[in-house]
Amino acid sequence: MTDLLTVAGLETQFRTREGLVHAVNGVSFNLKEGETLGIVGESGCGKSVTVMSMLRLIPSPPGKVVAGQAIYQGKDLLKMSDEEIRHIRGAQISMVFQDPMTSFNPVLTIGRQLAEPLEIHNGLSLQQAYDRAVQMLEMVGIPRAKERLNDYPHQFSGGMRQRVMIAMALICSPQILIADEPTTALDVTIQAQIVELVKRLRDELGMAIIWITHDLGIIAGLADRVSVMYGGYIIEEALVKELYANPTHPYTLGLLNSLPRMDETDHRRLYSIDGLPPVLLEKPNYCPFAPRCAYAVEHCWHENPSLIPVGPGHTVACWVDPATGRER
Amino acid sequence: MGRYIARRLIYLFVVLFVVSVITFGLMHAVPGGPFDREKKLPKEIMENLNKRYHLDEPLVMQYGRYMYDVMIPHFSIKAPTSSLLDDHLFNVKVGPIWIKWMNFGPSYSSRSRTVNDIFRDQLPISMQLGLMALFVALVIGLPLGILAALKQNTIFDYLGMSVAIFGVSVPVIVLGPILIYIFGVSLKLLPPTGWGAKPPYVLGFLPAKLDWNFWKYAIMPPIALGLGSSAIIARLTRASLLQVIREDYIRTARAKGLQERLVITRHALKNSLIPVVTILGPMFAALVTGTFVTELTFGIPGMGKYFVTSITNRDYPVIMGTILLYVVFLVIANLVVDILYAYLDPRIRYD
Ligand SMILES: Nc1ncnc2c1ncn2[C@@H]1O[C@H](COP(=O)(O)OP(=O)(O)OP(=O)(O)O)[C@@H](O)[C@H]1O
Ligand SMILES: [Mg+2]
């Protein structure tokens, strides 16, 4: 399979009152056709900023993409003109956002907002776009789709709104769907429905997906490959089975240990990683996870590790092999 | 919506009642009366005047009489006369019967005029002035605010907001004479004082002819009166649009690939106008009722003079009439705003 999207050395910073925030510090990954990539990490580790940087949706000021490239169909998304990237947004790469309550315009009807990408990118008339919008709503499981076009966002429940969001993202049949924590704001049962819906749509439509979450549990049944982020870096990357079988970075181990497991017989307490997430006001010259790491050795405090291969398609940024507790 | 409007109109009557009681009480509590002069009038004349205007009766009686004349429709077979005591705002003939409604009484200080005369002749002029001032405020304020927000922290922003600060800080009493001096006296482009519209008015307040004879008087005063409000609108629009632009749904619109122009016009503007609309009601009422200085500066024969002098003159019917009228104004202006509000924001439903 060929690479659809290649991101290399992406760096994004925010100028804030406290100082320069290094939100993303040289992130690289690729996405193959039809593949689902999970990006996992705790709140504030730079997941959203990474994908928004690619689509140039970072508010500027205060944000700025200072380095890197994002090659899509042979062209760098970060260097193309505003007009070129506009034709890619919503048509070839589209996004679903975390909060379905605030991500819709409260004063426009759902139909109007749903039809908009078709109107912009495919030059359809509003009527033609509405017909397609009804099909999409039916596809994502909204009952009485036709009547509901004239409703406003506040007349839908959170889960229904997120379905509409997904319909809106897929209406132009994009190559890549970026889902930025699309289930975080929803009830657990609704979360599962949304995950099932996206899986079904992926099988029908065949788009590639970047699924952002801080819940490794969701990713297990959905993604082909997972990148784990910490403090603006990708610190481990592997195929999903490999990651669950051989988690190698101490942070990934911590994340997996903090998942509740159904097959657990002894009711041990849920594990949680001690300490606070890193302050991003400086680019550390040591491992950013070292202050919270149970395995940290002297070396970790002097040099920030970069990703090294530890197995087929499995890379990790860590000086220590947690299996032995010794430096590699 | 119909029920909501009905409810608000009932509310209007409650407010009218409360305000009328308070005003009536206050104006009679203030020492002095309408016929007090430097040189005292002879006792008999005083008594006659008081008797003629029922000022010798107990206050409760006077209040009751006033409300009866204003609120209760009168039925009579007699055609309206030109008597100052029998001047009703509404006179409708049904068959042989005249229905007459709203007698606000005679003015004590402008002899030979009734409060209704003032409503008919002066109020339309103040409404015209107020409406045009509101128009000026919107036409200057909205574009200035939008431009400042879209070009935040650029020369446009600073320039626009400087104009806004200038607008709020320079009062009509300074701006008016400056305009008169430049355009009226030096350049002789516009007449320095006066007003062009004459009765009869369309719908009771709109000028019948919109020709140069109207406009030449109607350019400077609305600008002088409306500039301060335009500054308020500009600042509010700017703040509101800046906030809306940071909303998640604006990011969604950009992520869908909309042109920046559409992001602003289709997704940001309508939302950012919601807070602006809320202040239009009170602002319009304030413009129509706050025309005194402007009318004085530009020699406009509007309501302002009557409202202000009626209080020093203890001209009880004029005080009551103008205040009740302003209450009606305020409530109706706010009702119109509420209806506009529901139109702008589908989340708001009144039923
Ligand atoms: N507009 C902004 N201004 C200043 N700093 C920002 C801005 N947006 C993001 N950041 C910073 O960038 C860092 C990464 O933020 P990001 O939103 O990518 O986190 P995330 O991994 O998506 O977290 P979450 O799970 O909470 O969504 C954060 O520490 C945040 O402080
Ligand atoms: Mg995020």
Side-chain angles (χ1 to χ4, degrees):
Chain A
M1 267 195 280
T2 51
D3 280 355
L4 196 56
L5 176 73
T6 310
V7 174
L10 191 66
E11 264 183 66
T12 303
Q13 300 169 348
F14 290 93
R15 210 166 278 285
T16 68
R17 212 163 292 163
E18 288 74 39
L20 198 60
V21 173
H22 299 262
V24 174
N25 297 311
V27 160
S28 305
F29 63 88
N30 57 3
L31 182 71
K32 295 181 178 46
E33 264 174 40
E35 180 187 42
T36 300
L37 173 70
I39 298 183
V40 189
E42 63 195 350
S43 193
C45 70
K47 307 179 297 286
S48 299
V49 172
T50 299
V51 291
M52 304 245 281
S53 298
M54 278 164 26
L55 280 178
R56 307 226 304 252
L57 290 172
I58 295 286
S60 168
K64 192 166 193 291
V65 181
V66 292
Q69 50 183 20
I71 308 293
Y72 173 74
Q73 292 183 337
K75 280 198 148 184
D76 190 349
L77 296 174
L78 302 180
K79 298 233 164 54
M80 61 179 53
S81 71
D82 287 350
E83 197 54 19
E84 274 178 288
I85 186 121
R86 193 175 71 67
H87 286 296
I88 287 177
R89 289 182 195 148
Q92 301 179 49
I93 305 179
S94 54
M95 277 194 81
V96 173
F97 295 99
Q98 172 171 345
D99 193 346
M101 296 297 167
T102 58
S103 295
F104 279 106
N105 190 333
V107 306
L108 296 180
T109 61
I110 285 293
R112 194 83 192 76
Q113 299 185 59
L114 193 54
E116 225 167 12
L118 281 175
E119 216 188 321
I120 303 284
H121 298 296
N122 301 16
L124 293 193
S125 72
L126 211 54
Q127 195 47 56
Q128 293 166 312
Y130 274 174
D131 292 343
R132 179 91 184 102
V134 171
Q135 286 173 12
M136 286 307 295
L137 284 184
E138 280 164 356
M139 195 168 180
V140 298
I142 305 275
R144 300 186 297 112
K146 198 170 182 125
E147 299 157 46
R148 303 230 61 185
L149 283 186
N150 294 322
D151 283 351
Y152 288 91
H154 69 276
Q155 291 164 297
F156 289 75
S157 68
M160 282 296 157
R161 249 185 268 191
Q162 202 58 297
R163 285 169 188 267
V164 178
M165 205 25 134
I166 291 168
M168 193 161 79
L170 295 178
I171 200 162
C172 287
S173 312
Q175 301 254 11
I176 302 175
L177 173 71
I178 299 173
D180 187 358
E181 307 198 39
T183 59
T184 306
L186 306 175
D187 294 344
V188 185
T189 48
I190 312 276
Q191 280 187 17
Q193 290 173 14
I194 295 287
V195 171
E196 282 314 308
L197 171 70
V198 171
K199 274 200 218 169
R200 201 191 82 219
L201 292 171
R202 177 186 61 187
D203 295 342
E204 284 173 30
L205 306 171
M207 71 278 181
I209 298 176
I210 298 177
W211 187 285
I212 294 175
T213 179
H214 47 238
D215 186 348
L216 266 173
I218 287 183
I219 282 293
L222 185 69
D224 302 310
R225 217 151 38 93
V226 182
S227 292
V228 183
M229 281 191 76
Y230 187 83
Y233 297 89
I234 290 183
I235 48 96
E236 181 159 12
E237 190 181 305
L239 291 176
V240 73
K241 283 211 186 74
E242 166 76 6
L243 192 85
Y244 284 83
N246 294 313
T248 305
H249 197 286
Y251 177 63
T252 316
L253 281 168
L255 281 183
L256 283 171
N257 281 339
S258 53
L259 279 185
R261 293 180 57 157
M262 301 302 278
D263 55 354
E264 205 74 41
T265 44
D266 56 333
H267 293 276
R268 63 182 174 101
R269 289 182 53 190
L270 274 181
Y271 177 85
S272 73
I273 304 170
D274 285 336
L276 298 169
V279 182
L280 301 167
L281 288 174
E282 54 178 35
K283 240 171 156 173
N285 50 9
Y286 52 88
C287 171
F289 188 61
R292 298 166 76 183
C293 183
Y295 301 89
V297 297
E298 187 66 17
H299 192 175
C300 304
W301 292 99
H302 297 303
E303 202 180 344
N304 190 356
S306 43
L307 287 169
I308 50 163
V310 290
H314 189 171
T315 54
V316 66
C318 182
W319 297 122
V320 179
D321 180 356
T324 62
R326 277 201 299 274
E327 217 171 313
R328 293 180 194 280
Chain B
M1 186 60 94
R3 264 179 47 204
Y4 175 74
I5 294 174
R7 215 162 54 227
R8 288 291 294 260
L9 290 179
I10 293 169
Y11 161 81
L12 169 62
F13 280 98
V14 175
V15 176
L16 277 176
F17 174 72
V18 172
V19 170
S20 66
V21 170
I22 293 175
T23 311
F24 198 86
L26 277 178
M27 75 187 182
H28 282 280
V30 177
F35 306 114
D36 291 351
R37 297 289 178 275
E38 290 284 301
K39 194 170 151 284
K40 270 221 159 94
L41 291 173
K43 195 162 168 284
E44 299 77 42
I45 298 186
M46 228 14 199
E47 275 172 2
N48 274 336
L49 278 169
N50 282 344
K51 200 173 176 64
R52 174 174 159 82
Y53 294 120
H54 305 288
L55 294 171
D56 51 353
E57 291 173 358
L59 277 186
V60 182
M61 276 281 284
Q62 289 187 41
Y63 178 78
R65 187 183 291 279
Y66 179 80
M67 290 313 265
Y68 174 78
D69 285 344
V70 171
M71 293 293 201
I72 311 293
H74 299 240
F75 300 90
S76 138
I77 44 165
K78 276 190 286 182
T81 60
S82 57
S83 158
L84 292 183
L85 298 176
D86 187 33
D87 182 14
H88 294 81
L89 210 49
F90 297 97
N91 298 290
V92 184
K93 193 171 185 204
V94 180
I97 299 198
W98 282 91
I99 303 172
K100 306 183 216 171
W101 191 34
M102 292 204 185
N103 176 5
F104 281 91
S107 162
Y108 296 163
S109 56
S110 339
R111 300 291 162 71
S112 83
R113 302 199 69 197
T114 64
V115 177
N116 281 336
D117 283 332
I118 297 173
F119 284 173
R120 278 187 286 256
D121 299 342
Q122 268 68 47
L123 174 67
I125 294 176
S126 290
M127 296 235 327
Q128 292 161 14
L129 181 58
L131 267 174
M132 282 190 287
L134 186 72
F135 182 74
V136 166
L138 286 172
V139 162
I140 298 179
L142 284 179
L144 214 61
I146 293 170
L147 188 73
L150 294 185
K151 310 260 177 201
Q152 194 194 1
N153 298 333
T154 67
I155 184 81
F156 293 102
D157 187 11
Y158 299 137
L159 221 71
M161 286 306 108
S162 307
V163 173
I165 289 171
F166 174 82
V168 250
S169 15
V170 181
V172 179
I173 201 151
V174 175
L175 185 62
I178 292 177
L179 287 176
I180 292 178
Y181 181 74
I182 297 176
F183 297 99
V185 179
S186 290
L187 301 175
K188 296 206 180 349
L189 286 174
L190 299 167
T193 59
W195 195 252
K198 300 259 176 326
Y201 298 110
V202 180
L203 292 178
F205 73 99
L206 293 170
K209 268 208 306 239
L210 288 171
D211 50 10
W212 177 242
N213 190 40
F214 171 74
W215 286 115
K216 71 181 175 190
Y217 293 105
I219 292 174
M220 292 194 291
I223 291 177
L225 180 60
L227 199 71
S229 304
S230 81
I232 296 170
I233 291 184
R235 293 170 66 103
L236 189 64
T237 307
R238 174 182 183 272
S240 160
L241 187 53
L242 279 179
Q243 199 205 324
V244 166
I245 281 177
R246 296 204 185 89
E247 296 284 343
D248 284 353
Y249 55 82
I250 295 299
R251 186 183 60 189
T252 308
R254 294 213 171 95
K256 287 196 285 191
L258 261 72
Q259 295 91 325
E260 196 56 27
R261 184 176 51 79
L262 277 184
V263 172
I264 300 300
T265 54
R266 196 183 284 174
H267 287 266
L269 275 186
K270 201 172 165 198
N271 281 291
S272 67
L273 287 185
I274 292 171
V276 180
V277 163
T278 39
I279 63 155
L280 288 187
M283 182 175 273
F284 177 58
L287 284 175
V288 173
T289 58
T291 51
F292 175 59
V293 177
T294 314
E295 289 173 0
L296 201 66
T297 312
F298 290 94
I300 298 169
M303 279 285 281
K305 188 183 99 188
Y306 290 88
F307 183 43
V308 173
T309 55
S310 68
I311 295 173
T312 45
N313 289 338
R314 308 282 183 279
D315 195 342
Y316 298 143
V318 179
I319 298 178
M320 284 297 281
T322 41
I323 289 200
L324 292 186
L325 183 85
Y326 288 167
V327 168
V328 172
F329 239 85
L330 207 73
V331 172
I332 295 206
N334 279 315
L335 178 61
V336 170
V337 161
D338 283 349
I339 293 169
L340 256 178
Y341 210 63
Y343 164 76
L344 280 176
D345 191 340
R347 286 167 297 185
I348 294 169
R349 281 286 164 266
Y350 295 119
D351 292 324

